[in-house]
Short mmCIF file of all heavy atoms in Angstrom, two decimals:
data_model
loop_
_atom_site.label_atom_id
_atom_site.label_comp_id
_atom_site.label_asym_id
_atom_site.label_seq_id
_atom_site.Cartn_x
_atom_site.Cartn_y
_atom_site.Cartn_z
N MET A 1 110.76 156.75 172.40
CA MET A 1 110.52 156.16 173.72
C MET A 1 109.23 155.34 173.69
O MET A 1 108.34 155.58 172.90
CB MET A 1 110.41 157.26 174.77
CG MET A 1 111.73 157.98 174.98
SD MET A 1 111.99 158.40 176.69
CE MET A 1 110.78 159.69 176.90
N GLU A 2 109.20 154.40 174.58
CA GLU A 2 108.08 153.48 174.60
C GLU A 2 107.37 153.53 175.94
O GLU A 2 108.00 153.70 176.98
CB GLU A 2 108.60 152.06 174.35
CG GLU A 2 107.75 151.30 173.37
CD GLU A 2 108.38 149.96 173.06
OE1 GLU A 2 109.51 149.95 172.57
OE2 GLU A 2 107.74 148.94 173.35
N GLU A 3 106.09 153.34 175.89
CA GLU A 3 105.31 153.30 177.11
C GLU A 3 105.31 151.88 177.65
O GLU A 3 105.04 150.93 176.93
CB GLU A 3 103.88 153.72 176.81
CG GLU A 3 103.49 155.01 177.52
CD GLU A 3 102.05 155.38 177.26
OE1 GLU A 3 101.21 154.47 177.09
OE2 GLU A 3 101.76 156.58 177.21
N ILE A 4 105.63 151.74 178.91
CA ILE A 4 105.63 150.43 179.53
C ILE A 4 104.41 150.34 180.44
O ILE A 4 104.27 151.12 181.38
CB ILE A 4 106.93 150.20 180.32
CG1 ILE A 4 108.11 150.14 179.36
CG2 ILE A 4 106.85 148.90 181.11
CD1 ILE A 4 109.23 151.05 179.75
N ARG A 5 103.56 149.38 180.11
CA ARG A 5 102.32 149.22 180.88
C ARG A 5 102.24 147.84 181.49
O ARG A 5 102.79 146.89 180.97
CB ARG A 5 101.12 149.45 179.95
CG ARG A 5 100.88 150.92 179.66
CD ARG A 5 99.67 151.11 178.80
NE ARG A 5 99.44 152.51 178.50
CZ ARG A 5 98.74 153.34 179.27
NH1 ARG A 5 98.19 152.89 180.38
NH2 ARG A 5 98.58 154.60 178.93
N CYS A 6 101.53 147.77 182.59
CA CYS A 6 101.33 146.50 183.27
C CYS A 6 100.46 145.58 182.40
O CYS A 6 99.44 146.01 181.86
CB CYS A 6 100.66 146.73 184.62
SG CYS A 6 100.23 145.20 185.46
N GLY A 7 100.90 144.34 182.25
CA GLY A 7 100.14 143.41 181.44
C GLY A 7 98.87 142.95 182.12
O GLY A 7 97.99 142.37 181.48
N GLN A 8 98.77 143.18 183.41
CA GLN A 8 97.61 142.71 184.16
C GLN A 8 96.53 143.79 184.25
O GLN A 8 95.38 143.54 183.92
CB GLN A 8 98.06 142.29 185.56
CG GLN A 8 97.01 141.52 186.34
CD GLN A 8 96.77 140.15 185.74
OE1 GLN A 8 97.66 139.55 185.18
NE2 GLN A 8 95.56 139.66 185.87
N CYS A 9 96.92 144.97 184.68
CA CYS A 9 95.91 146.01 184.90
C CYS A 9 96.11 147.20 183.97
O CYS A 9 95.36 148.17 184.04
CB CYS A 9 95.96 146.48 186.36
SG CYS A 9 97.49 147.33 186.80
N ALA A 10 97.13 147.13 183.11
CA ALA A 10 97.37 148.16 182.10
C ALA A 10 97.74 149.51 182.71
O ALA A 10 97.60 150.54 182.08
CB ALA A 10 96.16 148.32 181.18
N ARG A 11 98.19 149.51 183.93
CA ARG A 11 98.65 150.74 184.54
C ARG A 11 99.99 151.14 183.92
O ARG A 11 100.85 150.29 183.68
CB ARG A 11 98.84 150.52 186.05
CG ARG A 11 99.23 151.80 186.77
CD ARG A 11 99.97 151.45 188.06
NE ARG A 11 100.89 152.51 188.43
CZ ARG A 11 100.69 153.33 189.47
NH1 ARG A 11 99.67 153.16 190.25
NH2 ARG A 11 101.55 154.28 189.73
N LYS A 12 100.16 152.42 183.67
CA LYS A 12 101.41 152.91 183.09
C LYS A 12 102.50 152.87 184.14
O LYS A 12 102.38 153.46 185.21
CB LYS A 12 101.21 154.35 182.60
CG LYS A 12 102.37 154.88 181.81
CD LYS A 12 101.99 156.22 181.22
CE LYS A 12 103.19 156.95 180.67
NZ LYS A 12 102.81 158.28 180.17
N LEU A 13 103.56 152.12 183.83
CA LEU A 13 104.62 151.93 184.82
C LEU A 13 105.81 152.82 184.56
O LEU A 13 106.43 153.34 185.47
CB LEU A 13 105.07 150.47 184.81
CG LEU A 13 103.97 149.44 185.10
CD1 LEU A 13 104.50 148.04 184.84
CD2 LEU A 13 103.48 149.55 186.53
N ALA A 14 106.14 152.99 183.28
CA ALA A 14 107.32 153.79 182.94
C ALA A 14 107.29 154.14 181.47
O ALA A 14 106.51 153.60 180.70
CB ALA A 14 108.59 153.03 183.28
N VAL A 15 108.19 155.03 181.10
CA VAL A 15 108.37 155.40 179.70
C VAL A 15 109.85 155.42 179.42
O VAL A 15 110.63 155.97 180.20
CB VAL A 15 107.76 156.79 179.40
CG1 VAL A 15 108.00 157.17 177.96
CG2 VAL A 15 106.27 156.80 179.70
N GLY A 16 110.25 154.78 178.34
CA GLY A 16 111.67 154.79 178.01
C GLY A 16 112.02 153.78 176.94
O GLY A 16 111.16 153.14 176.35
N ASP A 17 113.32 153.64 176.71
CA ASP A 17 113.82 152.64 175.77
C ASP A 17 114.40 151.48 176.57
O ASP A 17 115.09 151.69 177.56
CB ASP A 17 114.91 153.24 174.88
CG ASP A 17 114.35 154.29 173.95
OD1 ASP A 17 113.31 154.01 173.34
OD2 ASP A 17 114.94 155.37 173.84
N TYR A 18 114.13 150.30 176.10
CA TYR A 18 114.65 149.14 176.83
C TYR A 18 114.85 147.98 175.88
O TYR A 18 114.20 147.85 174.86
CB TYR A 18 113.69 148.75 177.95
CG TYR A 18 112.36 148.25 177.44
CD1 TYR A 18 112.14 146.89 177.25
CD2 TYR A 18 111.34 149.13 177.13
CE1 TYR A 18 110.93 146.43 176.77
CE2 TYR A 18 110.13 148.68 176.65
CZ TYR A 18 109.93 147.33 176.47
OH TYR A 18 108.74 146.88 175.98
N ARG A 19 115.77 147.11 176.26
CA ARG A 19 115.94 145.85 175.55
C ARG A 19 115.24 144.75 176.33
O ARG A 19 114.56 143.92 175.78
CB ARG A 19 117.43 145.53 175.46
CG ARG A 19 118.03 146.00 174.17
CD ARG A 19 119.35 145.30 173.97
NE ARG A 19 120.22 146.11 173.14
CZ ARG A 19 121.51 145.86 173.00
NH1 ARG A 19 122.04 144.85 173.65
NH2 ARG A 19 122.25 146.58 172.22
N ARG A 20 115.49 144.78 177.61
CA ARG A 20 114.83 143.81 178.47
C ARG A 20 114.58 144.49 179.80
O ARG A 20 115.44 145.22 180.30
CB ARG A 20 115.73 142.59 178.66
CG ARG A 20 115.01 141.50 179.35
CD ARG A 20 115.22 140.15 178.73
NE ARG A 20 114.36 139.24 179.45
CZ ARG A 20 114.77 138.09 179.97
NH1 ARG A 20 116.00 137.70 179.83
NH2 ARG A 20 113.94 137.33 180.61
N LEU A 21 113.42 144.26 180.36
CA LEU A 21 113.05 144.98 181.56
C LEU A 21 112.12 144.14 182.42
O LEU A 21 111.19 143.50 181.93
CB LEU A 21 112.36 146.28 181.15
CG LEU A 21 111.96 147.22 182.28
CD1 LEU A 21 113.18 147.90 182.88
CD2 LEU A 21 111.02 148.29 181.75
N GLN A 22 112.41 144.16 183.71
CA GLN A 22 111.51 143.52 184.66
C GLN A 22 111.04 144.61 185.61
O GLN A 22 111.84 145.27 186.25
CB GLN A 22 112.25 142.43 185.43
CG GLN A 22 112.24 141.11 184.69
CD GLN A 22 112.72 139.97 185.58
OE1 GLN A 22 113.35 140.20 186.60
NE2 GLN A 22 112.41 138.76 185.20
N ILE A 23 109.74 144.78 185.67
CA ILE A 23 109.21 145.83 186.54
C ILE A 23 107.95 145.32 187.22
O ILE A 23 107.08 144.71 186.61
CB ILE A 23 108.95 147.11 185.73
CG1 ILE A 23 108.56 148.25 186.66
CG2 ILE A 23 107.93 146.91 184.63
CD1 ILE A 23 108.68 149.62 186.00
N LYS A 24 107.90 145.57 188.51
CA LYS A 24 106.76 145.10 189.30
C LYS A 24 105.74 146.21 189.40
O LYS A 24 106.07 147.35 189.71
CB LYS A 24 107.25 144.71 190.70
CG LYS A 24 106.23 143.89 191.45
CD LYS A 24 106.83 143.41 192.76
CE LYS A 24 105.85 142.53 193.51
NZ LYS A 24 106.39 142.09 194.79
N CYS A 25 104.53 145.85 189.10
CA CYS A 25 103.45 146.82 189.15
C CYS A 25 103.11 147.14 190.61
O CYS A 25 102.84 146.23 191.39
CB CYS A 25 102.23 146.26 188.42
SG CYS A 25 100.81 147.36 188.50
N PRO A 26 103.13 148.40 190.98
CA PRO A 26 102.82 148.77 192.36
C PRO A 26 101.34 148.67 192.68
O PRO A 26 100.94 148.73 193.84
CB PRO A 26 103.30 150.23 192.45
CG PRO A 26 103.25 150.74 191.06
CD PRO A 26 103.45 149.56 190.14
N ARG A 27 100.55 148.55 191.65
CA ARG A 27 99.09 148.52 191.88
C ARG A 27 98.59 147.09 192.13
O ARG A 27 97.91 146.83 193.10
CB ARG A 27 98.41 149.11 190.65
CG ARG A 27 96.91 149.24 190.82
CD ARG A 27 96.37 150.12 189.72
NE ARG A 27 94.98 149.84 189.42
CZ ARG A 27 94.39 150.22 188.31
NH1 ARG A 27 95.06 150.87 187.38
NH2 ARG A 27 93.13 149.98 188.10
N CYS A 28 98.97 146.17 191.21
CA CYS A 28 98.45 144.80 191.35
C CYS A 28 99.54 143.81 191.74
O CYS A 28 99.25 142.66 192.04
CB CYS A 28 97.77 144.36 190.06
SG CYS A 28 98.90 144.17 188.68
N GLY A 29 100.79 144.27 191.74
CA GLY A 29 101.88 143.40 192.19
C GLY A 29 102.37 142.42 191.15
O GLY A 29 103.16 141.54 191.46
N THR A 30 101.94 142.56 189.90
CA THR A 30 102.39 141.65 188.85
C THR A 30 103.79 142.03 188.41
O THR A 30 104.10 143.20 188.21
CB THR A 30 101.44 141.74 187.64
OG1 THR A 30 100.13 141.34 188.04
CG2 THR A 30 101.91 140.83 186.51
N LEU A 31 104.65 141.00 188.28
CA LEU A 31 106.00 141.25 187.77
C LEU A 31 105.97 141.15 186.25
O LEU A 31 105.75 140.07 185.69
CB LEU A 31 106.97 140.22 188.36
CG LEU A 31 108.43 140.42 187.94
CD1 LEU A 31 108.99 141.71 188.51
CD2 LEU A 31 109.28 139.25 188.40
N ASN A 32 106.14 142.27 185.61
CA ASN A 32 106.10 142.31 184.15
C ASN A 32 107.50 142.08 183.59
O ASN A 32 108.43 142.80 183.90
CB ASN A 32 105.59 143.68 183.68
CG ASN A 32 104.13 143.88 184.07
OD1 ASN A 32 103.23 143.47 183.36
ND2 ASN A 32 103.90 144.51 185.21
N ASP A 33 107.63 141.04 182.78
CA ASP A 33 108.91 140.73 182.14
C ASP A 33 108.78 141.14 180.68
O ASP A 33 108.10 140.49 179.89
CB ASP A 33 109.18 139.24 182.27
CG ASP A 33 110.61 138.89 181.87
OD1 ASP A 33 111.33 139.81 181.41
OD2 ASP A 33 110.99 137.72 182.00
N LEU A 34 109.45 142.22 180.33
CA LEU A 34 109.31 142.77 178.99
C LEU A 34 110.61 142.68 178.22
O LEU A 34 111.68 142.81 178.79
CB LEU A 34 108.88 144.24 179.07
CG LEU A 34 107.62 144.49 179.90
CD1 LEU A 34 107.67 145.89 180.46
CD2 LEU A 34 106.38 144.29 179.07
N ARG A 35 110.49 142.45 176.95
CA ARG A 35 111.68 142.48 176.09
C ARG A 35 111.31 143.09 174.75
O ARG A 35 110.25 142.83 174.20
CB ARG A 35 112.26 141.09 175.92
CG ARG A 35 111.35 140.13 175.21
CD ARG A 35 111.80 138.71 175.43
NE ARG A 35 111.52 138.25 176.80
CZ ARG A 35 111.84 137.05 177.25
NH1 ARG A 35 112.50 136.22 176.50
NH2 ARG A 35 111.53 136.69 178.46
N ALA A 36 112.22 143.90 174.25
CA ALA A 36 111.99 144.55 172.96
C ALA A 36 112.20 143.52 171.86
O ALA A 36 113.14 142.74 171.89
CB ALA A 36 112.95 145.71 172.79
N GLU A 37 111.31 143.53 170.90
CA GLU A 37 111.40 142.56 169.81
C GLU A 37 112.28 143.12 168.70
O GLU A 37 112.04 144.19 168.18
CB GLU A 37 110.02 142.28 169.26
CG GLU A 37 109.23 141.35 170.17
CD GLU A 37 107.83 141.13 169.65
OE1 GLU A 37 107.70 140.94 168.44
OE2 GLU A 37 106.91 141.20 170.45
N SER A 38 113.33 142.35 168.37
CA SER A 38 114.21 142.77 167.28
C SER A 38 114.43 141.58 166.35
O SER A 38 115.03 140.58 166.74
CB SER A 38 115.54 143.27 167.85
OG SER A 38 116.04 142.32 168.75
N PRO A 39 113.90 141.67 165.15
CA PRO A 39 114.03 140.54 164.22
C PRO A 39 115.45 140.34 163.74
O PRO A 39 115.98 141.11 162.94
CB PRO A 39 113.10 140.94 163.07
CG PRO A 39 112.98 142.43 163.14
CD PRO A 39 113.24 142.82 164.57
N THR A 40 116.12 139.30 164.24
CA THR A 40 117.49 139.00 163.83
C THR A 40 117.52 137.64 163.13
O THR A 40 117.39 136.62 163.79
CB THR A 40 118.43 139.00 165.04
OG1 THR A 40 117.78 138.31 166.10
CG2 THR A 40 118.76 140.40 165.49
N PRO A 41 117.66 137.63 161.83
CA PRO A 41 117.65 136.36 161.07
C PRO A 41 118.99 135.65 161.15
O PRO A 41 119.62 135.35 160.16
CB PRO A 41 117.34 136.81 159.65
CG PRO A 41 117.89 138.21 159.56
CD PRO A 41 117.86 138.78 160.97
N GLU A 42 119.45 135.39 162.39
CA GLU A 42 120.76 134.75 162.55
C GLU A 42 120.71 133.30 162.09
O GLU A 42 121.63 132.79 161.50
CB GLU A 42 121.16 134.82 164.02
CG GLU A 42 122.06 136.02 164.29
CD GLU A 42 122.42 136.10 165.74
OE1 GLU A 42 122.94 135.12 166.27
OE2 GLU A 42 122.16 137.14 166.36
N ARG A 43 119.64 132.64 162.41
CA ARG A 43 119.53 131.22 162.06
C ARG A 43 119.52 131.04 160.55
O ARG A 43 120.14 130.13 160.03
CB ARG A 43 118.22 130.67 162.64
CG ARG A 43 118.42 130.19 164.06
CD ARG A 43 117.24 129.35 164.48
NE ARG A 43 117.48 128.74 165.78
CZ ARG A 43 116.60 127.92 166.37
NH1 ARG A 43 115.46 127.68 165.80
NH2 ARG A 43 116.87 127.40 167.52
N ARG A 44 118.80 131.92 159.87
CA ARG A 44 118.73 131.82 158.41
C ARG A 44 120.11 131.98 157.80
O ARG A 44 120.50 131.26 156.92
CB ARG A 44 117.78 132.90 157.88
CG ARG A 44 116.37 132.36 157.70
CD ARG A 44 115.57 133.34 156.87
NE ARG A 44 114.24 132.84 156.63
CZ ARG A 44 113.34 133.49 155.92
NH1 ARG A 44 113.64 134.68 155.44
NH2 ARG A 44 112.17 133.01 155.69
N GLY A 45 120.83 132.98 158.31
CA GLY A 45 122.16 133.23 157.75
C GLY A 45 123.07 132.04 157.97
O GLY A 45 123.78 131.63 157.07
N ALA A 46 123.02 131.45 159.15
CA ALA A 46 123.87 130.31 159.45
C ALA A 46 123.53 129.14 158.52
O ALA A 46 124.41 128.47 158.00
CB ALA A 46 123.68 129.90 160.90
N SER A 47 122.25 128.92 158.33
CA SER A 47 121.82 127.81 157.47
C SER A 47 122.31 128.03 156.04
O SER A 47 122.78 127.13 155.39
CB SER A 47 120.29 127.71 157.50
OG SER A 47 119.87 126.64 156.69
N ASN A 48 122.18 129.26 155.60
CA ASN A 48 122.61 129.58 154.24
C ASN A 48 124.10 129.32 154.08
O ASN A 48 124.55 128.77 153.10
CB ASN A 48 122.32 131.07 153.96
CG ASN A 48 121.39 131.23 152.77
OD1 ASN A 48 121.20 130.28 152.01
ND2 ASN A 48 120.82 132.39 152.63
N ARG A 49 124.85 129.71 155.08
CA ARG A 49 126.30 129.55 155.04
C ARG A 49 126.65 128.06 154.93
O ARG A 49 127.48 127.67 154.16
CB ARG A 49 126.87 130.12 156.34
CG ARG A 49 127.90 131.20 156.05
CD ARG A 49 128.58 131.57 157.34
NE ARG A 49 129.26 132.84 157.23
CZ ARG A 49 129.84 133.43 158.26
NH1 ARG A 49 129.74 132.90 159.44
NH2 ARG A 49 130.47 134.56 158.12
N GLU A 50 125.99 127.29 155.75
CA GLU A 50 126.28 125.86 155.77
C GLU A 50 126.07 125.26 154.38
O GLU A 50 126.86 124.48 153.90
CB GLU A 50 125.33 125.20 156.77
CG GLU A 50 126.05 124.14 157.60
CD GLU A 50 125.19 123.66 158.74
OE1 GLU A 50 125.17 124.32 159.79
OE2 GLU A 50 124.51 122.67 158.54
N GLU A 51 124.96 125.66 153.77
CA GLU A 51 124.64 125.13 152.45
C GLU A 51 125.73 125.52 151.45
O GLU A 51 126.18 124.72 150.64
CB GLU A 51 123.30 125.70 152.00
CG GLU A 51 122.29 124.60 151.68
CD GLU A 51 120.94 125.17 151.42
OE1 GLU A 51 120.74 125.62 150.29
OE2 GLU A 51 120.11 125.20 152.33
N LEU A 52 126.13 126.78 151.56
CA LEU A 52 127.14 127.28 150.62
C LEU A 52 128.44 126.51 150.78
O LEU A 52 129.05 126.06 149.83
CB LEU A 52 127.39 128.77 150.89
CG LEU A 52 126.62 129.71 149.95
CD1 LEU A 52 126.73 131.14 150.46
CD2 LEU A 52 127.17 129.64 148.54
N THR A 53 128.85 126.33 152.05
CA THR A 53 130.09 125.63 152.33
C THR A 53 130.02 124.20 151.79
O THR A 53 130.95 123.70 151.17
CB THR A 53 130.35 125.58 153.85
OG1 THR A 53 130.26 126.90 154.34
CG2 THR A 53 131.72 125.02 154.15
N HIS A 54 128.89 123.57 152.01
CA HIS A 54 128.72 122.20 151.55
C HIS A 54 128.85 122.12 150.03
O HIS A 54 129.54 121.26 149.49
CB HIS A 54 127.34 121.71 152.00
CG HIS A 54 127.14 120.25 151.74
ND1 HIS A 54 127.78 119.28 152.48
CD2 HIS A 54 126.39 119.60 150.83
CE1 HIS A 54 127.41 118.09 152.02
NE2 HIS A 54 126.57 118.25 151.03
N ASP A 55 128.19 123.07 149.38
CA ASP A 55 128.23 123.09 147.91
C ASP A 55 129.66 123.27 147.42
O ASP A 55 130.13 122.59 146.53
CB ASP A 55 127.35 124.24 147.42
CG ASP A 55 126.69 123.90 146.10
OD1 ASP A 55 126.33 122.72 145.92
OD2 ASP A 55 126.54 124.80 145.26
N HIS A 56 130.36 124.18 148.06
CA HIS A 56 131.74 124.46 147.65
C HIS A 56 132.61 123.22 147.84
O HIS A 56 133.40 122.83 146.98
CB HIS A 56 132.27 125.63 148.48
CG HIS A 56 133.67 126.02 148.12
ND1 HIS A 56 133.96 126.68 146.95
CD2 HIS A 56 134.85 125.83 148.75
CE1 HIS A 56 135.27 126.86 146.89
NE2 HIS A 56 135.84 126.36 147.96
N ASP A 57 132.43 122.56 148.98
CA ASP A 57 133.21 121.37 149.28
C ASP A 57 132.97 120.30 148.21
O ASP A 57 133.89 119.64 147.75
CB ASP A 57 132.78 120.85 150.65
CG ASP A 57 133.88 120.00 151.28
OD1 ASP A 57 135.05 120.33 151.07
OD2 ASP A 57 133.55 119.01 151.93
N ARG A 58 131.72 120.18 147.82
CA ARG A 58 131.36 119.17 146.83
C ARG A 58 132.06 119.46 145.50
O ARG A 58 132.63 118.58 144.87
CB ARG A 58 129.84 119.26 146.62
CG ARG A 58 129.19 117.89 146.56
CD ARG A 58 127.70 118.08 146.54
NE ARG A 58 127.03 116.95 145.96
CZ ARG A 58 125.76 116.96 145.62
NH1 ARG A 58 125.05 118.05 145.80
NH2 ARG A 58 125.18 115.92 145.11
N THR A 59 132.03 120.73 145.12
CA THR A 59 132.63 121.11 143.84
C THR A 59 134.14 120.84 143.86
O THR A 59 134.70 120.29 142.92
CB THR A 59 132.38 122.61 143.57
OG1 THR A 59 130.99 122.86 143.74
CG2 THR A 59 132.79 122.99 142.17
N ALA A 60 134.77 121.19 144.97
CA ALA A 60 136.21 121.00 145.08
C ALA A 60 136.56 119.51 145.03
O ALA A 60 137.55 119.10 144.44
CB ALA A 60 136.71 121.62 146.38
N GLY A 61 135.70 118.69 145.66
CA GLY A 61 135.95 117.26 145.69
C GLY A 61 135.86 116.64 144.30
O GLY A 61 136.62 115.74 143.97
N SER A 62 134.97 117.12 143.48
CA SER A 62 134.77 116.51 142.16
C SER A 62 135.79 117.00 141.16
O SER A 62 135.95 116.45 140.10
CB SER A 62 133.35 116.82 141.67
OG SER A 62 133.23 118.19 141.39
N ALA A 63 136.51 118.06 141.53
CA ALA A 63 137.52 118.58 140.60
C ALA A 63 138.91 118.14 141.07
O ALA A 63 139.42 118.62 142.06
CB ALA A 63 137.44 120.11 140.55
N PRO A 64 139.57 117.22 140.39
CA PRO A 64 140.87 116.68 140.83
C PRO A 64 142.04 117.52 140.36
O PRO A 64 143.07 116.99 139.94
CB PRO A 64 140.88 115.30 140.16
CG PRO A 64 140.05 115.48 138.91
CD PRO A 64 139.09 116.60 139.18
N ALA A 65 141.86 118.86 140.43
CA ALA A 65 142.93 119.75 139.96
C ALA A 65 144.10 119.72 140.94
O ALA A 65 145.25 119.83 140.54
CB ALA A 65 142.39 121.16 139.83
N LYS A 66 143.79 119.55 142.26
CA LYS A 66 144.84 119.61 143.28
C LYS A 66 145.69 118.33 143.25
O LYS A 66 146.85 118.34 143.60
CB LYS A 66 144.19 119.77 144.65
CG LYS A 66 144.09 121.24 145.05
CD LYS A 66 143.63 121.37 146.49
CE LYS A 66 143.43 122.83 146.86
NZ LYS A 66 142.93 122.92 148.22
N GLU A 67 145.10 117.23 142.84
CA GLU A 67 145.82 115.95 142.90
C GLU A 67 146.58 115.66 141.61
O GLU A 67 146.99 114.54 141.36
CB GLU A 67 144.79 114.85 143.18
CG GLU A 67 144.41 114.86 144.66
CD GLU A 67 143.46 113.73 144.96
OE1 GLU A 67 143.68 112.63 144.46
OE2 GLU A 67 142.46 113.98 145.66
N ALA A 68 146.72 116.70 140.77
CA ALA A 68 147.43 116.48 139.52
C ALA A 68 148.45 117.59 139.31
O ALA A 68 148.22 118.54 138.58
CB ALA A 68 146.43 116.46 138.37
N PRO A 69 149.58 117.45 139.95
CA PRO A 69 150.63 118.49 139.79
C PRO A 69 151.34 118.34 138.45
O PRO A 69 151.46 117.22 137.93
CB PRO A 69 151.60 118.17 140.95
CG PRO A 69 151.33 116.76 141.34
CD PRO A 69 149.97 116.37 140.84
N PRO A 70 151.84 119.41 137.95
CA PRO A 70 152.48 119.38 136.64
C PRO A 70 153.82 118.64 136.63
O PRO A 70 154.56 118.68 137.59
CB PRO A 70 152.68 120.87 136.28
CG PRO A 70 152.62 121.60 137.58
CD PRO A 70 151.77 120.75 138.53
ZN1 LIG B 1 99.25 146.04 187.41
#
């Protein structure tokens, strides 16, 4: 569990697990917009895939095996 504190006055607001949370501090009235940080390398994976596909396409194009039936 995680401690959720006000970013303005550091008052403890709640304790728990969250992905995204909006909580208004009753002391100073600041609306705290919190989100749990989770490193997801989605962009890297997509880029890698694109490169791989491109490479494969290139190799297939240079090999005229399909255009030469027996
Ligand atoms: Zn506060």
Side-chain angles (χ1 to χ4, degrees):
M1 292 218 289
E2 225 175 300
E3 244 183 32
I4 294 129
R5 283 182 181 272
C6 174
Q8 192 69 30
C9 66
R11 184 204 152 109
K12 188 172 167 183
L13 302 171
V15 178
D17 292 314
Y18 66 94
R19 265 197 206 168
R20 189 135 185 231
L21 183 73
Q22 274 192 341
I23 187 164
K24 195 174 182 181
C25 177
R27 185 166 154 197
C28 67
T30 299
L31 182 66
N32 294 275
D33 191 355
L34 306 153
R35 64 197 73 182
E37 284 177 43
S38 50
T40 43
E42 264 178 55
R43 272 194 173 182
R44 265 194 178 181
S47 181
N48 239 345
R49 237 189 197 174
E50 221 170 276
E51 237 173 81
L52 262 169
T53 308
H54 188 72
D55 213 36
H56 181 73
D57 203 36
R58 223 172 157 192
T59 309
S62 68
K66 266 188 184 177
E67 282 183 42

